[in-house]
Amino acid sequence: MATVFPFAGQVLDETPMTLGEGPTFDAATGTAWWFNIVERELHELHFASGRKTVYALPFMGSALAKISDSKQLIASDDGLFLRDTATGVLTLHAELEKDMPGNRSNDGRMHPSGALWIGTMGRKAETGAGSIYHVAKGTVTKLFAEVSIPNSICFSPDGATGYYVDTKVNKLMKVPLDAETGLPSGKAEVLVDSAGIDGGIDGSVCDAEGHIWNARWGMGAVDRYDASGNHIERYLVPAGQTTCPAFIGPDASRLLVTSARENLDDDAIAANPQHGKTFELGIEVKGRFEPLYRL
């Protein structure tokens, strides 16, 4: 039985997200980035100054990877784009399900090899409409098909194990990987079976010790699992629809978590105005920074 801890953190950003997702942190600039997917926004928060900037996007972005100080990679419903950080100019890098306009990108994360894993899904979470892809230097390879809501993509520190979930199925999977490429080297198997249990396994990050930190949709919590799938701890968050964590701070020792107001009515939001805000969990963690995407 996991130990449950009350919320001891703070609100990092008061802006309510309809669907906050895809947070990441740039240690070189001390800046956190995340998306408000359905509102087509990219959010930037500079910690030292407290400066907050919101960039309008021409698409639904959902995952971001740093390439260099001047370039980022954004996954979206229109494909994979390079973004100039100084001008915001977007350039198509690779197509992603161009023949499936009913789909959009969702959860994604960088593998230590410099490759991106990115999931897609139907805009209405249609059963089996999405997939999970491996993207390396612009080459897109389908890894897993018939996924409804791809989430929890993350990797062990040595890059030899990958994790992912179809939230509609709610079974966290693990798969052996070629650490040099980030491609599967064996079959996936169930690590955590949460089928029929309250709350959905949403976004995850894997820390320097190989523990998985997972945002539990519908439960207002971040859960910690060890590499064997044991549920060790649950940290409560004052927003029911927690979506994705990210390690932040100069030594990656803090944890940011996004949330959502999607599908909540006015009464639910009035009862808890914290829904959709972005939080810092208020605990010390042994995190690690995301690798760069390699062009």
Side-chain angles (χ1 to χ4, degrees), residues 86-106:
T87 65
V89 171
L90 298 160
T91 307
L92 182 66
H93 177 57
E95 302 284 3
L96 189 64
E97 298 187 336
K98 185 179 181 180
D99 58 341
M100 302 179 71
N103 278 9
R104 66 168 177 83
S105 63
N106 197 51

Side-chain angles (χ1 to χ4, degrees), residues 113 172 239 247-248 254 272 291:
S113 67
L172 180 63
F247 299 118
I248 60 172
R254 297 163 60 203
N272 182 11

Side-chain angles (χ1 to χ4, degrees), residues 85-258:
T85 55
T87 65
V89 171
L90 298 160
T91 307
L92 182 66
H93 177 57
E95 302 284 3
L96 189 64
E97 298 187 336
K98 185 179 181 180
D99 58 341
M100 302 179 71
N103 278 9
R104 66 168 177 83
S105 63
N106 197 51
D107 188 61
R109 198 164 294 282
M110 286 299 304
H111 182 266
S113 67
L116 172 74
W117 276 32
I118 183 67
T120 63
M121 61 181 286
R123 295 174 194 267
K124 296 182 180 178
E126 293 88 345
T127 299
S131 297
I132 294 175
Y133 296 88
H134 171 278
V135 185
K137 298 179 181 177
T139 299
V140 180
T141 304
K142 184 181 287 189
L143 302 180
F144 308 104
E146 298 182 359
V147 178
S148 303
I149 308 174
N151 269 312
S152 224
I153 294 171
C154 61
F155 306 98
S156 61
D158 62 3
T161 305
Y163 303 98
Y164 68 94
V165 75
D166 181 341
T167 303
K168 193 169 278 192
V169 176
N170 229 25
K171 294 181 180 181
L172 180 63
M173 309 298 290
K174 72 172 183 177
V175 59
L177 305 178
D178 179 337
E180 296 299 315
T181 65
L183 289 165
S185 59
K187 292 186 177 180
E189 60 182 52
V190 177
L191 179 68
V192 177
D193 190 344
S194 281
I197 300 175
D198 288 345
I201 298 174
D202 210 301
S204 292
V205 285
C206 192
D207 68 19
E209 298 178 315
H211 290 182
I212 300 161
W213 296 80
N214 170 252
R216 189 81 176 195
W217 175 276
M219 299 302 290
V222 174
D223 292 324
R224 182 163 75 98
Y225 297 91
D226 66 20
S228 298
N230 298 306
H231 188 190
I232 301 169
E233 295 162 341
R234 169 166 287 182
Y235 293 89
L236 299 181
V237 178
Q241 296 181 160
T242 37
T243 54
C244 194
F247 299 118
I248 60 172
D251 54 0
S253 64
R254 297 163 60 203
L255 204 63
L256 174 154
V257 60
T258 50

Side-chain angles (χ1 to χ4, degrees), residues 13-51:
D13 181 47
E14 295 277 355
T15 311
M17 303 285 113
T18 304
L19 183 55
E21 264 287 9
T24 191
F25 181 73
D26 184 350
T29 59
T31 303
W33 300 82
W34 67 93
F35 294 90
N36 192 2
I37 295 180
V38 296
E39 305 298 341
R40 301 185 172 206
E41 295 171 345
L42 174 62
H43 289 244
E44 176 191 17
L45 178 61
H46 183 251
F47 285 128
S49 66
R51 183 185 71 250

